[in-house]
Short mmCIF file of all heavy atoms in Angstrom, two decimals:
data_model
loop_
_atom_site.label_atom_id
_atom_site.label_comp_id
_atom_site.label_asym_id
_atom_site.label_seq_id
_atom_site.Cartn_x
_atom_site.Cartn_y
_atom_site.Cartn_z
N TYR A 827 -6.92 74.73 -37.64
CA TYR A 827 -5.88 75.74 -37.26
C TYR A 827 -4.44 75.46 -37.63
O TYR A 827 -3.64 76.39 -38.11
CB TYR A 827 -6.04 76.00 -35.66
CG TYR A 827 -7.07 77.02 -35.29
CD1 TYR A 827 -8.36 76.57 -35.06
CD2 TYR A 827 -6.75 78.38 -35.15
CE1 TYR A 827 -9.39 77.55 -34.74
CE2 TYR A 827 -7.78 79.20 -34.79
CZ TYR A 827 -9.07 78.87 -34.59
OH TYR A 827 -9.95 79.71 -34.35
N TRP A 831 -2.75 78.30 -39.96
CA TRP A 831 -1.51 78.78 -39.55
C TRP A 831 -0.46 78.44 -40.71
O TRP A 831 0.36 79.46 -41.04
CB TRP A 831 -0.99 78.11 -38.25
CG TRP A 831 0.45 78.59 -37.97
CD1 TRP A 831 1.57 77.99 -38.28
CD2 TRP A 831 0.69 79.69 -37.09
NE1 TRP A 831 2.67 78.78 -37.83
CE2 TRP A 831 2.11 79.82 -37.11
CE3 TRP A 831 -0.09 80.60 -36.44
CZ2 TRP A 831 2.73 80.73 -36.24
CZ3 TRP A 831 0.53 81.57 -35.66
CH2 TRP A 831 2.05 81.76 -35.57
N ALA A 858 -10.72 80.35 -38.94
CA ALA A 858 -9.46 80.23 -38.27
C ALA A 858 -8.48 81.29 -38.83
O ALA A 858 -7.67 81.90 -38.06
CB ALA A 858 -8.95 78.80 -38.35
N LEU A 860 -8.98 84.07 -40.34
CA LEU A 860 -9.30 85.39 -39.87
C LEU A 860 -8.91 85.70 -38.55
O LEU A 860 -8.45 86.72 -38.24
CB LEU A 860 -10.91 85.52 -40.08
CG LEU A 860 -11.36 86.92 -39.68
CD1 LEU A 860 -10.70 88.05 -40.46
CD2 LEU A 860 -12.99 86.93 -39.91
N HIS A 861 -9.10 84.76 -37.56
CA HIS A 861 -8.80 84.84 -36.11
C HIS A 861 -7.19 85.18 -36.14
O HIS A 861 -6.72 86.02 -35.46
CB HIS A 861 -9.01 83.68 -35.37
CG HIS A 861 -10.45 83.60 -34.93
ND1 HIS A 861 -11.17 84.69 -34.35
CD2 HIS A 861 -11.34 82.52 -35.05
CE1 HIS A 861 -12.53 84.22 -34.03
NE2 HIS A 861 -12.63 83.07 -34.49
N LEU A 862 -6.50 84.29 -36.81
CA LEU A 862 -5.01 84.26 -36.73
C LEU A 862 -4.44 85.47 -37.51
O LEU A 862 -3.51 86.11 -36.76
CB LEU A 862 -4.37 83.03 -37.48
CG LEU A 862 -4.67 81.72 -36.66
CD1 LEU A 862 -4.24 80.56 -37.64
CD2 LEU A 862 -3.95 81.58 -35.43
N ALA A 863 -4.99 85.94 -38.58
CA ALA A 863 -4.50 87.14 -39.18
C ALA A 863 -4.74 88.37 -38.48
O ALA A 863 -3.85 89.18 -38.56
CB ALA A 863 -5.16 87.15 -40.66
N VAL A 864 -5.96 88.46 -37.96
CA VAL A 864 -6.23 89.75 -37.16
C VAL A 864 -5.30 89.78 -35.99
O VAL A 864 -4.74 90.89 -35.58
CB VAL A 864 -7.64 89.76 -36.81
CG1 VAL A 864 -7.97 90.79 -35.71
CG2 VAL A 864 -8.65 89.95 -38.02
N ASP A 865 -5.23 88.64 -35.25
CA ASP A 865 -4.31 88.63 -34.19
C ASP A 865 -2.83 88.98 -34.49
O ASP A 865 -2.08 89.56 -33.69
CB ASP A 865 -4.34 87.23 -33.66
CG ASP A 865 -3.66 87.06 -32.24
OD1 ASP A 865 -4.07 87.73 -31.24
OD2 ASP A 865 -2.63 86.20 -32.16
N ALA A 866 -2.35 88.77 -35.69
CA ALA A 866 -1.17 89.08 -36.17
C ALA A 866 -0.82 90.45 -36.57
O ALA A 866 0.12 90.93 -37.07
CB ALA A 866 -0.61 88.09 -37.20
N MET A 886 -15.32 89.77 -36.05
CA MET A 886 -14.24 89.00 -35.79
C MET A 886 -12.89 89.82 -36.24
O MET A 886 -11.82 89.19 -35.99
CB MET A 886 -14.42 87.74 -36.67
CG MET A 886 -15.36 86.75 -36.10
SD MET A 886 -15.76 85.34 -37.37
CE MET A 886 -14.20 84.44 -37.28
N GLU A 982 -0.23 77.20 -27.95
CA GLU A 982 -0.59 78.60 -27.81
C GLU A 982 -2.04 78.89 -28.30
O GLU A 982 -2.85 79.66 -27.79
CB GLU A 982 0.49 79.52 -28.47
CG GLU A 982 0.22 80.98 -28.48
CD GLU A 982 1.18 81.92 -29.30
OE1 GLU A 982 2.32 81.21 -29.54
OE2 GLU A 982 0.91 82.95 -29.63
N ILE A 983 -2.31 78.34 -29.49
CA ILE A 983 -3.60 78.54 -30.13
C ILE A 983 -4.67 77.95 -29.20
O ILE A 983 -5.61 78.69 -28.96
CB ILE A 983 -3.61 77.84 -31.48
CG1 ILE A 983 -2.79 78.45 -32.44
CG2 ILE A 983 -5.09 77.70 -32.01
CD1 ILE A 983 -2.64 77.93 -33.85
N VAL A 984 -4.50 76.77 -28.65
CA VAL A 984 -5.49 76.06 -27.79
C VAL A 984 -5.71 77.05 -26.55
O VAL A 984 -6.81 77.21 -26.02
CB VAL A 984 -5.15 74.69 -27.47
CG1 VAL A 984 -5.96 74.09 -26.41
CG2 VAL A 984 -5.22 73.79 -28.72
N LYS A 986 -5.23 80.16 -26.17
CA LYS A 986 -5.94 81.48 -26.56
C LYS A 986 -7.46 81.22 -26.62
O LYS A 986 -8.24 81.91 -26.15
CB LYS A 986 -5.52 82.09 -27.79
CG LYS A 986 -4.07 82.75 -27.61
CD LYS A 986 -3.70 83.47 -28.96
CE LYS A 986 -2.43 84.20 -28.75
NZ LYS A 986 -2.01 84.93 -30.01
N ILE A 987 -7.77 80.03 -27.25
CA ILE A 987 -9.29 79.54 -27.35
C ILE A 987 -9.63 79.40 -25.90
O ILE A 987 -10.89 79.80 -25.53
CB ILE A 987 -9.34 78.32 -28.28
CG1 ILE A 987 -9.06 78.76 -29.64
CG2 ILE A 987 -10.75 77.73 -28.08
CD1 ILE A 987 -8.76 77.48 -30.53
N GLU A 988 -9.02 78.70 -25.15
CA GLU A 988 -9.42 78.43 -23.64
C GLU A 988 -9.72 79.64 -22.97
O GLU A 988 -10.63 79.78 -22.04
CB GLU A 988 -8.41 77.52 -23.09
CG GLU A 988 -8.97 76.89 -21.78
CD GLU A 988 -8.16 75.74 -21.26
OE1 GLU A 988 -6.96 75.46 -21.72
OE2 GLU A 988 -8.51 75.07 -20.31
N ARG A 989 -8.85 80.66 -23.13
CA ARG A 989 -9.01 81.87 -22.49
C ARG A 989 -10.04 82.82 -22.93
O ARG A 989 -10.49 83.77 -22.37
CB ARG A 989 -7.73 82.78 -22.57
CG ARG A 989 -6.54 82.28 -21.73
CD ARG A 989 -5.44 83.25 -21.61
NE ARG A 989 -5.04 83.83 -22.79
CZ ARG A 989 -4.00 83.33 -23.57
NH1 ARG A 989 -3.25 82.18 -23.14
NH2 ARG A 989 -3.64 83.92 -24.62
N GLY A 990 -10.70 82.40 -24.08
CA GLY A 990 -11.89 83.11 -24.66
C GLY A 990 -11.42 84.08 -25.71
O GLY A 990 -12.41 84.92 -26.21
N ALA A 991 -10.21 84.24 -26.10
CA ALA A 991 -9.75 85.13 -27.17
C ALA A 991 -10.51 84.90 -28.54
O ALA A 991 -10.91 85.80 -29.30
CB ALA A 991 -8.30 85.12 -27.42
N TRP A 992 -10.78 83.65 -28.90
CA TRP A 992 -11.49 83.27 -30.00
C TRP A 992 -12.42 82.28 -29.70
O TRP A 992 -12.36 81.38 -28.91
CB TRP A 992 -10.56 82.59 -31.16
CG TRP A 992 -9.26 83.45 -31.55
CD1 TRP A 992 -9.27 84.81 -31.55
CD2 TRP A 992 -7.96 83.03 -31.70
NE1 TRP A 992 -7.98 85.21 -31.83
CE2 TRP A 992 -7.16 84.12 -31.97
CE3 TRP A 992 -7.39 81.76 -31.68
CZ2 TRP A 992 -5.87 84.09 -32.23
CZ3 TRP A 992 -6.06 81.64 -31.94
CH2 TRP A 992 -5.28 82.85 -32.26
N ASP A 993 -13.59 82.34 -30.49
CA ASP A 993 -14.66 81.32 -30.31
C ASP A 993 -14.44 80.28 -31.40
O ASP A 993 -14.76 80.38 -32.54
CB ASP A 993 -16.01 82.00 -30.48
CG ASP A 993 -17.18 80.99 -30.42
OD1 ASP A 993 -16.92 79.88 -29.94
OD2 ASP A 993 -18.39 81.37 -30.58
N ALA A 994 -13.96 79.07 -30.88
CA ALA A 994 -13.73 78.08 -31.87
C ALA A 994 -14.68 76.88 -31.57
O ALA A 994 -14.37 75.72 -31.89
CB ALA A 994 -12.26 77.57 -31.72
N ARG A 995 -15.77 77.21 -30.81
CA ARG A 995 -16.60 76.02 -30.47
C ARG A 995 -17.20 75.38 -31.80
O ARG A 995 -17.55 76.20 -32.76
CB ARG A 995 -17.77 76.49 -29.61
CG ARG A 995 -17.39 76.88 -28.23
CD ARG A 995 -18.47 77.50 -27.44
NE ARG A 995 -18.89 78.88 -28.11
CZ ARG A 995 -19.92 79.61 -27.70
NH1 ARG A 995 -20.64 79.31 -26.76
NH2 ARG A 995 -20.13 80.76 -28.37
#
Side-chain angles (χ1 to χ4, degrees):
Y827 276 86
W831 176 274
L860 179 54
H861 283 314
L862 292 167
V864 170
D865 188 62
M886 293 170 63
E982 179 183 339
I983 289 169
V984 169
K986 286 184 176 181
I987 292 169
E988 191 165 11
R989 292 197 302 269
W992 305 322
D993 183 1
R995 290 172 297 179

